[in-house]
Every structure is written in C-alpha cells, then in structure tokens.
C-alpha cells in the first residue's frame, strides 16, 4: 500500500455534521442480508447529497459479533461479512474525494474472547497479565473475586475450568484488558497509527472512562472515591499519549464519556487529550423547554473552560429512536422505557423529532446523525426469536435490547426488502418501505428533505456564540450570527420574532403566521 497523505486538522470537527454508520444495517452490496462496505460505497452519493462532513463507522473489524462488533478479534482486519481491508481503504479514499472524512471506532476497554491474546492466555496461561485474571473468593474459590456487575447484567466475572476468574464489564465474550500493562498501551497506539496511515481522520473511543482499574480490584461500595473502574485519574496519561499520536496525523478524537460530574467530564477535553466527547445530557433530556435550555447552557458552560466544542446527538445505535422516544407520554430517556409494546404516538413523535433536528443543527458545535434518523425511522419491535442483542438474554428477557434501532435501512420502496439488499439479518417491520429514501427524496415535505435543507442552511448560523432571546413559556429562541432558531414546545401557537426572511421550518405555520406547538423555525434576522 502506498503511503497516503495524512488527514489534516483544519478545525473541521468543531462544527461538523457527522453521520453514524452501523455497517451491518446500512446497505447490503452482495445480497447476503448483511450490510457491507460495498453497500456503503454505493451509497456515498446519497451521503454527499445529504451534506455530511464525516462518517463515523461503528466497529467494522473481524469479530464473532457477540455484541454487534464491539467484541473485536483483530483491529487490523475487516470482518469478512463486511468486506476486506482493501475495500475499507477504497471507501476511505472515495469518501474523501466527495469531501467526506472517515472516523473509525476503537474499543479499548476489552477485546473478543477470540482475540489472539486471550486465546493464548487460556491455552497456556501465558499473557494472562494482559487481562484481569483472579482467584475466586469463598472456601473453594467458587465466588467471583469482587462484587462488580456487568453493564449487560449479572456478575462481571466468569470462571474458567482451571478455577481462575476473568473480568468482563460487558459480555463474557468481551474480556477486559489490563491498561496498567505497557504492551496494552503500545498495541493501541500502534492500532491508531495503522488507521491514521490509511487516511482515517478521527477515532471514536468506546467506553472511554472505563479502561483503568484499581489494581486491588476492591468491591464497589456506596460512595467509594475514587471509583475502582470509572473515571480514574491514570486514564488521562493514556489519552495524552493518544493525542500525541493523533497530532502527528492531524486526526481527532471523540470520546464516549458518561459522567454526571461536569468538571470531571471536562478533564477529558483538555487541549492535550480528547478533542470532543459525546453530550449525553442533551440526548437523554425530555421534550421540555426548561430542561432542554438547562442542558444546552450546562453543556456550553462545561466545554468553555477547555476550549472544546460541544457535540449534539439525538440518537445512536444504543438508544430508542427519536421518533418513538418523543412520541411517548414520558419523553425522558430511561432504558426501562424500552419495554415491549410501549405505546407511542408516531405522529407526535415525528413532529417533535423534526423540530429537534432543527434545534440540534442550529446549536454551536458538532452534530451527530445516526443512520435512519434522516428518514424519520421509528423504533422497530423485533420478534423475540430474532433478537440478537446480548442485553436481552443477560437481562433474563426483561430488556428488549437495542436491536429495535438497528433494523436495516429502507432505500427503495418498490424493491424487495425495501432496497436494502438480501433478506435482512434483522426483520424489517411491515410498512418499512414507506420510509424509503427514494420516496422521501421526491417529497419536499419529508424528513429526508428537511435534513438536507437544514444541513445546507446550517452555515447561516456561523461560528459565533449562542444568545438567548426573550420567549414565552415553553419556547426556546436564540440567535447566532444573523440567524435565529425558535422552537415551540408548548401547546399553543406563538408569534415569530422580528425577522427579514423565513429560512426553514419543521412544519407549517398556522393561518395567522404563528409557530404551532412541537414546531421549529429558522429565520434570518
């Protein structure tokens, strides 16, 4: 492979619109029912027309797929279900020719139990220091080494036939790495270089606050500080070393950092660490004007001291889709609200999702759009016998898991499987073709047309700060540069502020020219 020109950091990431690609469900190029890189390459013109600046790919590496690819067996190989490394290199280059950068997903907390390191550790015990192996407690070592619980439910430990236990904060097929070991750190720095040398412009860091563990592996007790495995101070040395690697290539990072403490959160965004981190406060906020404004203000305030841009996201591959979430009586985010058969008013959810799209795209910072959000897809109910997400099994069947937001996309209304390709790996619901991209592209009032217009007009808001305007209860109104955004979350219509031009609206104004409830508008001052 020839040496490509490294990506350059011209600050594009500070205000980018980044599209999340869940490859398995995006587009199937070879007809086997699984999305692949050939499918993505064929849809690059669609993504260019949408107007996005970059694509974030969830893990496309070789994997047994016990957790949707987040169980990585080889970080330097593409999973055969998706294609080849050569295809990935072509995709990166072809996207860049269209002005679209590529962000890949790194999963540093754990690997697959099929990773060569773990297989060697099991086979001969060699290399066990690269993981967290411990004897059990109890008279015969029959109890886990501590009380840590898996993110997917149940103990975070699995016992081997030889009596030792190994740590997995997620599924048993995802053993945690020991980040106190220099080989683990060196391997990941080498992986970063491997992808940066192939033209990747950035890296999303999965579970970024969980890598470091207290070497004593103590129980999690109420109020323990510091936490034995969340947000430990030694993590920052890791990300400083990563930043030095990224700076060689002009590449950027976005971290998945779930932390309630805003000061601790901001530490990850210092100038010599991660460039950006996901803003989960905004995503989890209910459809409420006061709480959304508080979330926006707090987000901007916590980013300001470190000079990092905020990020805004309405949905991703782990949460209930926006249309469904906003169509529920309780629009707050709670994994418990994913219960089977939760009643949803899709018409209401769609109106709110359209307004939320204009809100998020008007805010200062970067915006992430999960595939299918631009089509207004709802959460799908997956038949019990087709659910693949390990969260379902690990919860004893009480949690439906995340497959409902991962259903393969509908591309063409008149084609089999709505144009996705072969018989999809997850079933598409009845009526899925009604959301097809080709149908929406011809409809100026569709969700797709709204997203295309909003991304095209987004530069009207410039790069400046946000200034709130006086507004009635239940209404958010702010200005940036010469543009205004007004969102009415109340039940009654409101008058628009003074303006010279109506740029875009999420839904029609009423006959008196007022903004109805659950509707947003962009104006030129």
């Amino acid at each position: 492979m020839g040496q490509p020109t490294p990506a350059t950091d011209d600050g594009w990431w500070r205000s980018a619109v980044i599209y999340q690609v869940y490859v398995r469900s995006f587009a199937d190029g070879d007809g086997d029912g699984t999305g692949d890189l050939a499918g993505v390459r064929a849809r690059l013109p669609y993504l260019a027309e949408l107007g996005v600046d970059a694509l974030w790919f969830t893990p496309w590496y070789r994997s047994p797929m016990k957790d949707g690819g987040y169980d990585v067996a080889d970080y330097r190989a593409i999973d055969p279900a998706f294609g080849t490394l050569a295809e990935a290199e072509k995709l990166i280059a072809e996207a860049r020719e269209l002005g679209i950068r590529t962000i890949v997903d790194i999963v540093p907390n754990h690997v697959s139990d099929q990773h060569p390191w773990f297989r060697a550790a099991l086979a001969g015990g060699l290399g066990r220091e690269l993981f967290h192996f411990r004897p059990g407690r109890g008279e015969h070592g029959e109890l886990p080494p501590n009380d840590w619980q898996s993110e997917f439910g149940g103990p975070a430990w699995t016992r081997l036939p030889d009596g030792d236990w190994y740590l997995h904060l997620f599924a048993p097929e995802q053993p945690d790495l020991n980040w106190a070991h220099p080989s683990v750190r060196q391997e990941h720095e080498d992986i970063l270089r491997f992808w940066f040398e192939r033209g990747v412009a950035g890296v999303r860091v999965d579970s970024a606050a969980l890598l470091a563990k207290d070497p004593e592996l103590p129980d999690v007790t109420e109020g323990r500080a510091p936490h034995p495995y969340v947000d430990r101070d030694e993590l920052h040395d890791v990300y400083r070393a990563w930043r030095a690697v990224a700076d060689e290539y002009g590449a950027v990072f976005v971290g998945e950092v779930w932390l309630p403490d805003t000061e601790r959160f901001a530490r990850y965004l210092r100038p010599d660490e991660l460039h950006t981190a996901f803003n989960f406060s905004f995503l989890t906020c209910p459809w409420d004007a006061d709480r959304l404004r508080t979330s926006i203000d707090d987000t901007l305030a916590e980013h300001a001291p470190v000079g990092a841009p905020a990020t805004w996201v309405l949905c991703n591959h782990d949460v209930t889709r926006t249309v469904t979430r906003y169509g529920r009586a309780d629009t707050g985010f709670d994994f418990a609200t994913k219960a089977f058969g939760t009643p949803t008013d899709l018409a209401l959810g769609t109106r709110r999702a359209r307004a939320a799209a204009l809100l998020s795209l008007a805010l200062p910072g970067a915006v992430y759009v999960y595939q299918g959000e631009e089509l207004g897809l709802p959460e799908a109910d997956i038949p019990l016998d087709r659910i693949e997400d390990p969260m379902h099994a690990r919860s004893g069947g009480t949690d439906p898991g995340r497959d409902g937001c991962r259903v393969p996309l509908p591309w063409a209304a008149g084609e089999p499987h709505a144009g996705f390709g072969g018989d999809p790996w997850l079933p598409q619901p009845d009526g899925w073709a009604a959301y097809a991209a080709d149908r929406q592209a011809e409809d100026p009032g569709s969700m797709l047309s709204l997203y295309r217009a909003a991304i095209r007009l987004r530069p009207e808001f410039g790069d400046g700060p946000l200034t709130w305007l006086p507004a009635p209860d239940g209404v958010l109104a702010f200005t940036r540069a010469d543009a205004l955004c007004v969102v009415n979350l109340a039940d009654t219509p409101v008058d628009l502020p003074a303006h010279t031009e109506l740029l875009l609206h999420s839904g029609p104004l009423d006959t008196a020219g007022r903004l109805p409830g659950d509707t947003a508008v962009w104006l030129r001052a």
Side-chain angles (χ1 to χ4, degrees), residues 82-373:
F82 299 151
T84 65
L85 180 59
E87 282 185 281
E89 292 168 350
K90 287 180 182 178
L91 172 54
I92 294 166
E94 290 168 357
R96 195 65 186 89
E97 289 173 3
L98 293 172
I100 301 173
R101 294 170 168 87
T102 296
I103 296 172
V104 296
D105 210 317
I106 293 294
V107 189
N109 179 71
H110 48 264
V111 294
S112 165
D113 60 358
Q114 300 304 304
H115 190 283
W117 281 4
F118 194 71
R119 294 177 72 176
L122 294 187
L126 299 176
R128 287 198 173 189
E129 69 276 8
L130 303 176
F131 300 91
H132 297 279
F133 284 88
R134 294 290 189 278
R137 297 188 291 190
E139 183 179 356
H140 303 291
E142 72 278 8
L143 300 176
N146 63 30
D147 65 356
W148 296 5
Q149 295 295 297
S150 162
E151 295 288 321
F152 291 162
W157 294 90
T158 290
R159 195 179 194 187
L160 297 170
D162 65 10
D164 266 357
W165 297 73
Y166 69 88
L167 175 67
H168 51 85
L169 289 181
F170 294 86
E173 296 86 0
Q174 296 168 291
D176 279 36
L177 290 165
N178 175 16
W179 274 87
H181 198 287
S183 294
V184 173
R185 295 185 57 162
Q186 185 61 56
E187 169 67 357
H188 281 76
E189 290 174 25
D190 291 346
I191 290 167
L192 293 175
R193 286 193 170 88
F194 178 88
W195 287 106
F196 291 153
E197 287 171 3
R198 281 155 179 80
V200 163
V203 167
R204 181 261 191 186
V205 186
D206 181 69
S207 300
L210 301 184
L211 279 57
K213 276 78 174 178
D214 185 325
E216 300 300 319
L217 300 183
D219 285 348
V220 178
T221 54
E222 192 72 30
R224 171 181 285 277
H227 194 282
Y229 63 82
V230 177
D231 182 37
R232 295 185 60 80
D233 286 342
E234 53 265 40
L235 257 179
H236 297 283
D237 287 338
V238 172
Y239 293 132
R240 289 189 187 98
W242 283 26
R243 180 61 176 260
V245 174
D247 286 348
E248 294 176 24
Y249 297 89
V252 300
F253 291 116
V254 56
E256 183 192 28
V257 183
W258 291 81
L259 291 178
D261 186 322
T262 58
E263 257 185 63
R264 299 288 300 184
F265 172 85
R267 284 160 55 91
Y268 290 84
L269 302 177
R270 289 176 291 194
D272 61 345
E273 295 192 41
L274 304 179
H275 299 74
T276 61
F278 284 133
N279 171 19
F280 294 110
S281 164
F282 185 76
L283 182 154
T284 60
C285 197
W287 188 246
D288 176 90
D290 291 338
R291 292 180 66 176
L292 279 167
R293 176 165 175 168
T294 297
S295 173
I296 292 166
D297 284 340
D298 288 350
T299 296
L300 295 175
E302 70 191 18
H303 285 74
V306 288
T311 64
W312 311 99
V313 59
L314 296 172
C315 189
N316 62 34
H317 64 295
D318 286 334
V319 303
T320 302
R321 282 200 177 270
T322 311
V323 164
T324 298
R325 207 169 66 244
Y326 282 160
R328 290 176 175 157
D330 175 9
T331 56
F333 177 86
D334 184 341
F335 276 109
T337 67
K338 295 196 302 179
F340 297 101
T342 303
T344 295
D345 182 340
L346 288 183
L348 174 64
T350 299
R351 287 199 305 275
R352 289 174 170 176
R354 290 173 65 91
L358 293 197
L359 171 60
S360 62
L361 286 163
L363 294 170
V367 178
Y368 284 77
V369 178
Y370 176 48
Q371 66 180 43
E373 288 290 290

Side-chain angles (χ1 to χ4, degrees), residues 20 22 24-26 58 67-70 152 316-319 321 370-371 377-380 382 388-391 401-409 420 425-427 432:
Q20 180 188 352
Y22 189 79
R24 198 177 183 189
S25 297
F26 185 73
T58 53
D67 181 26
Y70 282 87
F152 291 162
N316 62 34
H317 64 295
D318 286 334
V319 303
R321 282 200 177 270
Y370 176 48
Q371 66 180 43
L377 296 182
E379 187 83 355
I382 308 298
E388 297 201 11
D389 187 358
M391 288 186 74
R402 300 159 294 179
D403 288 346
C405 66
R406 300 175 178 183
V407 174
L409 298 189
F420 171 72
W425 69 280
L426 279 178
W432 206 237

